[in-house]
Amino acid sequence: MIRFRVLARFLFGLVAAAIACSSAARPRAPSQSDMDHDLLEVTIPQLQRLYSKHKYTVTQVVQWYLARIDRYNGIYRAVETVTRSEALAAAAREDAEPAGGATAHGPLWGVPMVIKANTSMEGQVTTDGWVGYAIPGHELIAPRDATIVAKFRAAGAILIGHTNMPDFANSDTNRSSSYGRTGNAFDVRFSPGGSSGGTVTAVTANMALLGSGTDTGNSIRMPAATSALIGVFPTRGLVSIAGIAPLDWMLDNAGPLARTVTDAAIALSVMAGEDPLDPRTLGSAANAQPGPYTQYLQSGRLKDKRFGVPSFILRGAGIPFHGLPAAVPEDVAAKLSADQSIALRPETLRAFMKAVDELRAAGATVVFDDSILPDSFARIASRVSTYSYVREGTERFLNAFGPAQYRGVTEYENAVGAPLAAPVVGTEPSNSQIGDITIAQVDIESDPDAEANYHGPRGRTLAAYLEPLDRLHLDGYVYPAIQMPPPDETMPQNGGLSDGPHSATSWVNMIGVPAVVVVGGYYPGGLPFGLEFSARPWKDGDLLGSAYAWEQATHHRHPPILVEKGLLPNAP
């Protein structure tokens, strides 16, 4: 009997110890106030320390972000599709994995993130912002993940939704035919920019920790500038665009949108790499600075850096989107470029000059010189002509990432009984007909005019970009990310519905050099001002190092104050 009692006590002790250990490994249900305190503006490293200490499970954190979407998305309209059940299932799988920290789980372990709606997520509708890809029975349901989405999943990210975007990413503001208008998180009446406006509103409003964006002419960088985020345009070829519905595949790029440079660097390290589905990435490993990109992040790295200010941006010289082929006469090209000029607004110039003072206070030299990317640079860049190849990009995308019922433009039109939209098949009158010149759709590989219209002008533009860097011993360029503050979309702009804030930065896409937007400060009314840096090709690590040093020297970022009741119930 005594032996039985001793054995019973021993077994009871083992069970109690096991329960205690289990309880220690499983966080108790946290309070809402604790989670709000810990997770609002949390960074990736901070979140993963919380996981390592077992303060929160991945499931609890994902539920917190989903609750914020439920609370605010009806007002800001940032997330078009919430992948709730898939996200919670992925979080449960992460929670079931053995402990071991980010090294064991991946660099994006448990990070809730959003993906732009032009980027394929297996089993989800890739709306591309367009109602035509969401027609019942004819949805563009992705048969597999885009390359970057597969990388995010493998790194441990939890994908919680597809973000809203304008149709085909073809706008500087964020209205879509598939979901409507997205508002700026700092003031819902104002534009968040486009075309990654849904992602920036979701991330800056803490509906997600991290997001993906795409950029054809400014579409990562300009929205980042409106919303106090870090937006990275990598050297084209560092990150694959396979699985992303193209607007102009010769100009398209993909990159991260984050609240801190550190988070952006972690995400870019995951996204980078060669991909046989994207020929531009092949050989990139030999050219690029090696990752992880966090190794380039050090405070004080602005000391002794030299940045030039592109004079054509200050003067607002225009570069037509998609460029102009060689057959367009010089006088016609000059008029079209003049029509595309975008004046730098006085309030934006004041914000930029204040940022220049802060750069100099941090130890950098900022050079103003009329010979630094003058108006002639804009004229050279305007000849990088890409519109002839728009349809080829769409055909390639649908062939590899379209649904079974249509793997090409003609198949779409046969299946749906309606044409695929003009912007992605190259039939927009404003772009396909320039005076007497008709821009026909061809494949770049077989185009006899490719050298005259694309390769040659692109090479000359890149050479003109590098010349001041060499001559004046510059580390890069610095300039306003957009030419104006975000517009109030409740008011007519220039006599009509606002088409968004505009930039003079499409030349970055034309030559594929790296650029990053940082939080440059705020306008007097409280809306963010974005500062953009660009650098030599493949110097993405050094560029992020400058962005980090700026961030640490200024600490401009603060979260927006969100509203729960709509100010614009019937916004256009």
Side-chain angles (χ1 to χ4, degrees):
M1 187 70 176
I2 294 174
R3 287 181 183 174
F4 176 77
R5 287 177 185 157
V6 170
L7 180 60
R9 285 197 207 99
F10 176 71
L11 292 173
F12 179 80
L14 286 177
V15 171
I19 292 172
C21 290
S22 175
S23 298
R26 287 196 197 111
R28 295 178 181 177
S31 70
Q32 184 65 45
S33 60
D34 282 350
M35 294 197 79
D36 290 346
H37 175 270
D38 290 339
L39 298 183
L40 192 71
E41 296 289 285
V42 73
T43 66
I44 293 172
Q46 289 168 347
L47 177 64
Q48 292 177 345
R49 283 195 291 272
L50 293 171
Y51 288 149
S52 295
K53 293 176 180 177
H54 304 295
K55 186 166 186 181
Y56 303 120
T57 65
V58 177
T59 298
Q60 288 167 341
V61 169
V62 170
Q63 288 171 331
W64 185 85
Y65 280 99
L66 290 172
R68 284 187 66 84
I69 293 174
D70 292 340
R71 184 175 181 181
Y72 295 114
N73 198 48
I75 305 303
Y76 294 94
R77 307 285 289 177
V79 186
E80 178 176 16
T81 304
V82 181
T83 54
R84 188 182 309 272
S85 60
E86 295 88 349
L88 290 171
R93 289 193 296 271
E94 286 285 345
D95 288 331
E97 291 291 322
T103 303
H105 290 268
L108 295 180
W109 169 33
V111 172
M113 71 176 296
V114 286
I115 304 296
K116 191 173 176 179
N118 60 354
T119 305
S120 302
M121 294 170 59
E122 183 177 356
Q124 300 296 325
V125 179
T126 310
T127 67
D128 202 17
W130 184 48
V131 68
Y133 282 149
I135 296 172
H138 299 296
E139 298 95 340
L140 201 168
I141 298 174
R144 53 178 168 157
D145 285 337
T147 298
I148 59 170
V149 169
K151 286 174 173 279
F152 290 141
R153 292 193 203 272
I158 308 297
L159 309 185
I160 61 176
H162 254 152
T163 53
N164 190 35
M165 57 177 282
D167 295 39
F168 314 110
N170 196 27
S171 174
D172 283 348
T173 191
N174 220 79
R175 296 186 192 90
S176 74
S177 62
S178 66
Y179 192 62
R181 174 190 178 270
T182 298
N184 190 307
F186 282 85
D187 190 325
V188 71
R189 298 171 298 176
F190 288 77
S191 173
S195 61
S196 300
T199 298
V200 298
T201 294
V203 174
T204 204
N206 287 273
M207 297 184 210
L209 198 162
L210 184 68
S212 75
T214 65
D215 192 316
T216 309
N218 58 27
S219 289
I220 287 172
R221 295 161 291 138
M222 182 256 280
T226 73
S227 301
L229 288 187
I230 311 302
V232 181
F233 181 100
T235 300
R236 180 64 183 97
L238 183 67
V239 171
S240 173
I241 62 168
I244 297 172
L247 174 57
D248 181 335
W249 72 303
M250 305 305 295
L251 303 176
D252 293 340
N253 202 359
L257 285 151
R259 293 190 292 270
T260 69
V261 177
T262 298
D263 287 357
I266 293 170
L268 184 62
S269 301
V270 170
M271 299 171 78
E274 298 186 12
D275 177 14
L277 294 176
D278 182 353
R280 289 279 287 274
T281 65
L282 301 181
S284 63
N287 296 316
Q289 290 182 309
Y293 292 103
T294 49
Q295 68 182 294
Y296 302 94
L297 309 186
Q298 299 173 14
S299 298
R301 284 193 62 165
L302 288 174
K303 184 175 173 55
D304 299 326
K305 294 284 187 182
R306 290 173 56 83
F307 299 101
V309 178
S311 57
F312 86 93
I313 291 180
L314 299 185
R315 284 194 285 270
I319 301 174
F321 188 41
H322 304 291
L324 302 169
V328 175
E330 280 299 327
D331 60 332
V332 176
K335 183 181 185 306
L336 290 170
S337 295
D339 291 343
Q340 295 292 317
S341 64
I342 306 169
L344 183 65
R345 293 272 289 271
E347 58 268 47
T348 300
L349 178 59
R350 287 192 292 271
F352 175 62
M353 295 308 296
K354 184 177 180 181
V356 167
D357 289 341
E358 291 180 290
L359 270 172
R360 288 170 171 161
T365 297
V366 181
V367 182
F368 288 82
D369 189 306
D370 288 345
S371 71
I372 298 175
L373 303 189
D375 289 359
S376 60
F377 173 81
R379 289 194 295 272
I380 296 169
S382 71
R383 290 298 188 166
V384 182
S385 179
T386 59
Y387 197 69
S388 296
Y389 316 119
V390 164
R391 181 179 176 122
E392 181 184 3
T394 299
E395 295 281 13
R396 283 171 171 260
F397 167 73
L398 290 176
N399 182 60
F401 290 89
Q405 62 176 294
Y406 50 89
R407 292 296 177 89
V409 173
T410 301
E411 286 188 10
Y412 174 90
E413 294 173 347
N414 290 338
V416 176
L420 197 52
V424 292
V425 296
T427 57
E428 294 170 291
S430 59
N431 286 308
S432 61
Q433 192 70 39
I434 302 174
D436 296 332
I437 307 298
T438 299
I439 300 180
Q441 291 298 300
V442 293
D443 289 354
I444 190 170
E445 297 82 0
S446 58
D447 180 15
D449 296 320
E451 178 61 31
N453 288 336
Y454 177 73
H455 296 297
R458 184 178 185 274
R460 289 189 289 275
T461 305
L462 180 57
Y465 173 86
L466 296 173
E467 187 274 332
L469 298 179
D470 295 333
R471 174 169 50 86
L472 298 173
H473 308 289
L474 302 175
D475 295 285
Y477 298 103
V478 64
Y479 42 92
I482 48 180
Q483 301 290 92
M484 62 199 66
D488 182 346
E489 296 193 316
T490 68
M491 304 290 289
Q493 305 292 323
N494 300 318
L497 192 66
S498 168
D499 54 2
H502 303 296
S503 78
T505 62
S506 62
W507 51 275
V508 171
N509 302 72
M510 289 170 159
I511 55 178
V513 296
V516 60
V517 165
V518 296
V519 189
Y522 296 85
Y523 290 101
L527 292 172
F529 164 74
L531 187 69
E532 184 165 338
F533 295 91
S534 64
R536 294 175 183 272
W538 306 111
K539 297 298 183 183
D540 300 78
D542 291 342
L543 182 65
L544 287 171
S546 295
Y548 179 80
W550 164 266
E551 177 186 69
Q552 297 305 301
T554 59
H555 294 286
H556 282 312
R557 161 75 191 178
H558 66 72
I561 297 173
L562 304 182
V563 297
E564 296 184 46
K565 293 184 178 179
L567 303 178
L568 296 174
N570 299 305

Short mmCIF file of all heavy atoms in Angstrom, two decimals, residues 12 16 34 43 123 135 152-153 157 188 222 244 302 307 334 358-359 405 445 454 476 531 543:
data_model
loop_
_atom_site.label_atom_id
_atom_site.label_comp_id
_atom_site.label_asym_id
_atom_site.label_seq_id
_atom_site.Cartn_x
_atom_site.Cartn_y
_atom_site.Cartn_z
N PHE A 12 1.96 11.33 -10.30
CA PHE A 12 1.26 12.62 -10.26
C PHE A 12 2.24 13.77 -10.49
O PHE A 12 1.95 14.73 -11.19
CB PHE A 12 0.54 12.77 -8.91
CG PHE A 12 -0.19 14.08 -8.78
CD1 PHE A 12 -1.43 14.26 -9.37
CD2 PHE A 12 0.39 15.14 -8.08
CE1 PHE A 12 -2.09 15.47 -9.24
CE2 PHE A 12 -0.27 16.35 -7.97
CZ PHE A 12 -1.51 16.51 -8.54
N ALA A 16 2.14 16.54 -13.41
CA ALA A 16 2.12 17.97 -13.09
C ALA A 16 3.26 18.71 -13.76
O ALA A 16 3.10 19.82 -14.27
CB ALA A 16 2.19 18.16 -11.57
N ASP A 34 -2.29 44.30 -24.11
CA ASP A 34 -0.91 43.84 -24.26
C ASP A 34 -0.56 43.66 -25.73
O ASP A 34 0.52 44.07 -26.18
CB ASP A 34 -0.70 42.51 -23.52
CG ASP A 34 -0.55 42.69 -22.02
OD1 ASP A 34 -0.41 43.85 -21.58
OD2 ASP A 34 -0.59 41.68 -21.29
N THR A 43 8.36 45.31 -35.43
CA THR A 43 9.25 44.95 -36.54
C THR A 43 9.40 43.43 -36.61
O THR A 43 9.01 42.72 -35.67
CB THR A 43 10.63 45.58 -36.35
OG1 THR A 43 11.26 45.00 -35.20
CG2 THR A 43 10.52 47.10 -36.16
N GLY A 123 -4.53 29.15 -56.11
CA GLY A 123 -5.91 28.95 -55.70
C GLY A 123 -6.71 30.22 -55.50
O GLY A 123 -7.93 30.16 -55.31
N ILE A 135 -14.79 37.75 -63.41
CA ILE A 135 -16.12 37.38 -63.91
C ILE A 135 -16.45 35.96 -63.41
O ILE A 135 -15.67 35.03 -63.62
CB ILE A 135 -16.15 37.42 -65.44
CG1 ILE A 135 -15.92 38.85 -65.94
CG2 ILE A 135 -17.47 36.87 -65.98
CD1 ILE A 135 -15.74 38.94 -67.44
N PHE A 152 8.24 33.69 -50.15
CA PHE A 152 7.68 34.18 -48.89
C PHE A 152 7.18 33.02 -48.04
O PHE A 152 7.43 32.95 -46.84
CB PHE A 152 6.53 35.15 -49.15
CG PHE A 152 6.93 36.48 -49.72
CD1 PHE A 152 6.14 37.09 -50.69
CD2 PHE A 152 8.07 37.13 -49.29
CE1 PHE A 152 6.48 38.32 -51.21
CE2 PHE A 152 8.43 38.37 -49.81
CZ PHE A 152 7.64 38.96 -50.78
N ARG A 153 6.44 32.11 -48.65
CA ARG A 153 5.91 30.97 -47.89
C ARG A 153 7.05 30.13 -47.32
O ARG A 153 7.00 29.71 -46.16
CB ARG A 153 5.03 30.11 -48.79
CG ARG A 153 3.72 30.73 -49.25
CD ARG A 153 2.84 29.65 -49.86
NE ARG A 153 1.85 30.15 -50.78
CZ ARG A 153 0.63 30.56 -50.44
NH1 ARG A 153 0.28 30.56 -49.17
NH2 ARG A 153 -0.23 30.96 -51.37
N ALA A 157 6.51 33.22 -43.94
CA ALA A 157 5.50 34.28 -43.90
C ALA A 157 4.09 33.69 -43.92
O ALA A 157 3.86 32.63 -44.50
CB ALA A 157 5.68 35.23 -45.07
N VAL A 188 -8.14 59.48 -44.94
CA VAL A 188 -8.83 58.64 -45.92
C VAL A 188 -9.32 59.43 -47.12
O VAL A 188 -9.56 58.87 -48.20
CB VAL A 188 -9.99 57.88 -45.24
CG1 VAL A 188 -11.13 58.82 -44.87
CG2 VAL A 188 -10.49 56.72 -46.10
N MET A 222 6.24 55.69 -55.29
CA MET A 222 5.32 56.80 -55.07
C MET A 222 4.30 56.51 -53.96
O MET A 222 4.10 57.35 -53.08
CB MET A 222 4.63 57.17 -56.38
CG MET A 222 3.68 58.36 -56.24
SD MET A 222 2.00 57.83 -56.21
CE MET A 222 1.76 57.60 -57.96
N ILE A 244 3.63 37.50 -61.93
CA ILE A 244 3.02 38.81 -61.70
C ILE A 244 2.38 39.27 -63.01
O ILE A 244 3.05 39.34 -64.04
CB ILE A 244 4.05 39.83 -61.21
CG1 ILE A 244 4.63 39.38 -59.86
CG2 ILE A 244 3.44 41.22 -61.10
CD1 ILE A 244 5.79 40.22 -59.37
N LEU A 302 25.94 57.66 -43.51
CA LEU A 302 25.81 58.83 -44.40
C LEU A 302 27.04 59.73 -44.34
O LEU A 302 27.22 60.55 -45.24
CB LEU A 302 24.56 59.64 -44.02
CG LEU A 302 23.21 59.01 -44.39
CD1 LEU A 302 22.07 59.83 -43.84
CD2 LEU A 302 23.08 58.84 -45.90
N PHE A 307 25.82 62.75 -52.65
CA PHE A 307 24.62 62.54 -53.46
C PHE A 307 24.38 63.74 -54.36
O PHE A 307 24.50 64.89 -53.92
CB PHE A 307 23.38 62.33 -52.56
CG PHE A 307 23.48 61.14 -51.66
CD1 PHE A 307 23.81 61.29 -50.32
CD2 PHE A 307 23.26 59.86 -52.15
CE1 PHE A 307 23.91 60.19 -49.48
CE2 PHE A 307 23.36 58.75 -51.31
CZ PHE A 307 23.69 58.92 -49.98
N ALA A 334 9.46 66.08 -78.71
CA ALA A 334 9.62 67.20 -77.79
C ALA A 334 8.28 67.69 -77.26
O ALA A 334 8.14 68.01 -76.07
CB ALA A 334 10.37 68.33 -78.49
N GLU A 358 18.84 67.96 -43.42
CA GLU A 358 19.01 66.83 -42.49
C GLU A 358 20.09 65.87 -43.00
O GLU A 358 20.86 65.31 -42.20
CB GLU A 358 17.68 66.09 -42.33
CG GLU A 358 16.65 66.89 -41.57
CD GLU A 358 15.33 66.14 -41.42
OE1 GLU A 358 14.63 65.97 -42.42
OE2 GLU A 358 15.03 65.72 -40.28
N LEU A 359 20.15 65.66 -44.32
CA LEU A 359 21.21 64.83 -44.88
C LEU A 359 22.57 65.41 -44.57
O LEU A 359 23.51 64.70 -44.17
CB LEU A 359 21.03 64.71 -46.40
CG LEU A 359 20.19 63.58 -46.95
CD1 LEU A 359 19.98 63.75 -48.45
CD2 LEU A 359 20.84 62.23 -46.67
N GLN A 405 -8.74 27.48 -68.53
CA GLN A 405 -9.63 27.86 -69.64
C GLN A 405 -9.05 28.93 -70.54
O GLN A 405 -9.54 29.13 -71.65
CB GLN A 405 -10.99 28.30 -69.11
CG GLN A 405 -10.96 29.52 -68.21
CD GLN A 405 -12.35 29.95 -67.80
OE1 GLN A 405 -13.15 30.37 -68.63
NE2 GLN A 405 -12.66 29.82 -66.51
N GLU A 445 12.23 39.48 -79.11
CA GLU A 445 13.28 38.60 -79.58
C GLU A 445 13.40 38.60 -81.11
O GLU A 445 14.48 38.35 -81.65
CB GLU A 445 13.03 37.17 -79.09
CG GLU A 445 13.07 37.00 -77.58
CD GLU A 445 11.77 37.37 -76.90
OE1 GLU A 445 10.79 37.77 -77.58
OE2 GLU A 445 11.71 37.26 -75.65
N TYR A 454 14.82 50.07 -78.32
CA TYR A 454 14.94 49.70 -76.90
C TYR A 454 16.38 49.54 -76.45
O TYR A 454 16.86 50.31 -75.60
CB TYR A 454 14.15 48.42 -76.62
CG TYR A 454 14.30 47.95 -75.20
CD1 TYR A 454 13.67 48.63 -74.16
CD2 TYR A 454 15.10 46.85 -74.88
CE1 TYR A 454 13.84 48.22 -72.84
CE2 TYR A 454 15.25 46.43 -73.57
CZ TYR A 454 14.63 47.13 -72.55
OH TYR A 454 14.80 46.73 -71.26
N GLY A 476 25.38 58.30 -55.28
CA GLY A 476 24.03 58.10 -55.79
C GLY A 476 23.34 59.43 -55.97
O GLY A 476 23.96 60.50 -55.92
N LEU A 531 11.25 60.73 -49.58
CA LEU A 531 12.57 61.04 -50.14
C LEU A 531 13.09 59.79 -50.84
O LEU A 531 13.02 58.69 -50.29
CB LEU A 531 13.52 61.45 -49.03
CG LEU A 531 14.90 61.98 -49.43
CD1 LEU A 531 14.77 63.35 -50.11
CD2 LEU A 531 15.81 62.08 -48.19
N LEU A 543 22.81 50.86 -51.06
CA LEU A 543 21.67 51.77 -51.09
C LEU A 543 20.82 51.61 -49.83
O LEU A 543 20.42 52.61 -49.20
CB LEU A 543 20.82 51.49 -52.33
CG LEU A 543 19.61 52.39 -52.55
CD1 LEU A 543 20.03 53.83 -52.79
CD2 LEU A 543 18.77 51.88 -53.73
#
